[in-house]
Amino acid sequence: MFINEIKIENFRNIGFMGLFPDKGINVIYGENGQGKTNILEGIWLFTGCKSFRTSKDTELVNFNSENSKISIEFETELRKNTASVFIDKKRHASLNGVLLSTPRELIGKYYSVVFSPVHLSLIKDGPINRRKFIDTAISQIDETYAKKLTFYNHLINQKNALLKNASVDPSLLNTFDVWDEKIAEAGALVIKSRIDYIKMLEEISKDIYRGISDEREEMKVSYSSSFWFENDDIGCIRDAFFKNLQKNRSNDLYLKSTSTGPHRDDIEIFIKDISARKFASQGQQRSASLALKFAEAEIIKNIKGEDPVILLDDVMSELDLTRQNFILNKIKNKQVFITCCEKETVSRLCAGKVYKIENGNAVE
């Protein structure tokens, strides 16, 4: 999969920009604040997911405009496609001239993997970022997962509201068993999807990490649930979750929130059987983050039969020369967009097109 053409209008600080990128490496360089990341952000929106920088669509529109539009022509093994994302108070999308009911319908049509500075700290940061990583990755290969997760989060929000109000309206306690049954059912679907994905992720990421570490170290990945279940059969997960919700009801009433479930779960990464989050060096943590993101790209290719477009946002300067070389060698034969402040940082390592960005304008 690769993009043949990009048109960006009134998107953040970009008034208008048209690009015909290379099918290989595309280097986008310039000083900070000129609009480099905006290009990658616009490309990412065609995954059907929200921006990797903000959850507010209104922040994507240029200050001097009421709306913005991004259009691409992208090519898969089967056909050429055109797609557009239009943003006013929220995002709208079309594919091959047909208006979609929601941008989420782009999921499964276009694939991309983004790697930004926040992903370099994926290992050492809190579990919310690791959950976001895994949920976004699964959504690209499973068109139903985002709906499952949204439904589960909706139930949790409703349950938490009841927990907060139960002290003033004790009659609400009579509804908790019904809510817990629904939450256990929905949560089990989310957990099962995550476990199945992590099995694939570990198998691929450990080989990639072994290559980065010159065969010196072994990496493992596992799912860390906030409650115990005997096996990953979905019925077993559901029953264990329901019992756990009942067991923790008094504590949850005290806390006024649901203390266990996939919204509290985590991903554990081990290097040489030791927790990477607690004991790994910065270099080991960054190598593990790289391995996870490139494994994500390989999973997309294995399942969907298409190489995703790779977006590397300002990460090269954070990596030593060995890891820079590994990135560029590992992702050959894929379309790549790399942003950096200095052209020399990556131009000596790749062939393709180079764009300089100044005040939201591109000079090829």
Side-chain angles (χ1 to χ4, degrees):
M1 174 174 290
F2 53 88
I3 296 172
N4 291 321
E5 183 179 3
I6 309 167
K7 291 181 181 179
I8 304 174
E9 302 174 54
N10 300 319
F11 185 76
R12 290 201 183 264
N13 76 327
I14 299 173
F16 177 82
M17 183 182 296
L19 303 177
F20 295 88
D22 191 85
K23 293 182 180 180
I25 303 294
N26 295 274
V27 178
I28 302 168
Y29 78 101
E31 296 181 3
N32 289 327
Q34 300 304 301
K36 304 185 302 293
T37 299
N38 298 343
I39 299 171
L40 270 58
E41 184 180 29
I43 294 171
W44 169 257
L45 292 180
F46 289 93
T47 61
C49 300
K50 289 187 176 182
S51 164
F52 60 84
R53 301 164 75 191
T54 179
S55 60
K56 298 179 180 179
D57 292 335
T58 53
E59 294 182 2
L60 304 176
V61 180
N62 188 293
F63 289 132
N64 300 318
S65 179
E66 295 182 353
N67 52 66
S68 64
K69 183 179 180 181
I70 310 164
S71 301
I72 62 171
E73 179 189 281
F74 67 99
E75 194 167 336
T76 68
E77 291 184 358
L78 299 177
R79 61 176 294 183
K80 287 185 179 180
N81 301 270
T82 59
S84 295
V85 172
F86 181 84
I87 308 163
D88 42 32
K89 294 181 179 180
K90 63 179 183 178
R91 286 172 299 133
H92 313 270
S94 65
L95 179 66
N96 296 321
V98 178
L99 181 65
L100 306 178
S101 60
T102 170
R104 283 184 180 172
E105 289 189 38
L106 287 172
I107 294 175
K109 309 298 189 300
Y110 164 89
Y111 306 105
S112 186
V113 171
V114 62
F115 195 87
S116 67
V118 68
H119 294 116
L120 285 173
S121 55
L122 183 65
I123 308 301
K124 68 179 181 180
D125 280 353
I128 188 171
N129 288 328
R130 288 185 288 276
R131 288 195 298 269
K132 183 178 180 181
F133 156 66
I134 203 78
D135 290 337
T136 302
I138 297 172
S139 293
Q140 290 213 66
I141 60 170
D142 180 357
E143 292 82 354
T144 68
Y145 181 74
K147 291 181 180 179
K148 295 176 187 176
L149 184 62
T150 298
F151 181 60
Y152 170 78
N153 287 331
H154 172 73
L155 292 175
I156 287 294
N157 290 335
Q158 295 289 100
K159 170 79 178 294
N160 288 345
L162 294 175
L163 289 167
K164 291 173 182 176
N165 294 324
S167 59
V168 295
D169 185 359
S171 67
L172 294 174
L173 295 172
N174 298 326
T175 68
F176 279 18
D177 280 347
V178 174
W179 281 102
D180 287 347
E181 287 178 0
K182 292 180 179 179
I183 288 171
E185 186 77 32
L189 294 174
V190 172
I191 292 171
K192 176 62 174 173
S193 293
R194 287 177 176 177
I195 290 173
D196 289 346
Y197 185 84
I198 284 177
K199 288 179 181 178
M200 294 186 289
L201 189 72
E202 181 183 42
E203 188 67 25
I204 297 172
S205 64
K206 70 180 182 181
D207 289 337
I208 295 173
Y209 185 86
R210 194 180 295 120
I212 298 174
S213 65
D214 292 328
E215 309 292 332
R216 296 192 303 268
E217 297 173 343
E218 188 81 12
M219 172 180 166
K220 295 180 181 179
V221 186
S222 65
Y223 190 70
S224 178
S225 175
S226 52
F227 64 92
W228 183 84
F229 44 88
E230 186 174 357
N231 59 63
D232 61 7
D233 175 79
I234 197 162
C236 179
I237 298 171
R238 180 195 61 228
D239 293 345
F241 191 8
F242 178 71
K243 291 177 182 178
N244 187 267
L245 289 167
Q246 292 186 311
K247 175 184 174 183
N248 287 313
R249 185 170 296 172
S250 295
N251 186 53
D252 288 352
L253 282 165
Y254 174 76
L255 296 172
K256 301 185 186 304
S257 67
T258 309
S259 57
T260 58
H263 64 292
R264 297 285 189 180
D265 292 352
D266 200 355
I267 304 163
E268 290 286 348
I269 295 94
F270 301 91
I271 296 175
K272 296 193 293 188
D273 293 321
I274 298 174
S275 170
R277 180 175 61 84
K278 296 178 180 178
F279 302 108
S281 67
Q282 185 181 74
Q284 287 174 319
Q285 290 179 346
R286 290 183 173 183
S287 294
S289 297
L290 284 171
L292 291 174
K293 293 301 293 184
F294 284 117
E296 177 189 351
E298 287 302 309
I299 289 172
I300 290 173
K301 181 181 179 181
N302 291 345
I303 291 180
K304 297 299 182 178
E306 296 282 354
D307 279 307
V309 175
I310 306 294
L311 308 174
L312 302 178
D313 181 32
D314 198 27
V315 296
M316 299 301 282
S317 61
E318 301 292 329
L319 302 172
D320 59 31
L321 187 59
T322 299
R323 291 181 178 87
Q324 287 186 22
N325 282 325
F326 181 84
I327 284 179
L328 294 169
N329 291 331
K330 189 68 182 179
I331 57 180
K332 280 186 174 179
N333 304 317
K334 296 179 175 66
Q335 189 174 48
V336 185
F337 293 83
I338 303 172
T339 66
C340 63
C341 291
E342 298 295 333
K343 176 182 176 181
E344 291 76 14
T345 301
V346 290
S347 62
R348 61 187 174 83
L349 298 173
C350 61
K353 287 190 176 181
V354 177
Y355 300 93
K356 183 178 181 180
I357 305 299
E358 293 180 348
N359 297 319
N361 296 305
V363 181
E364 189 171 332

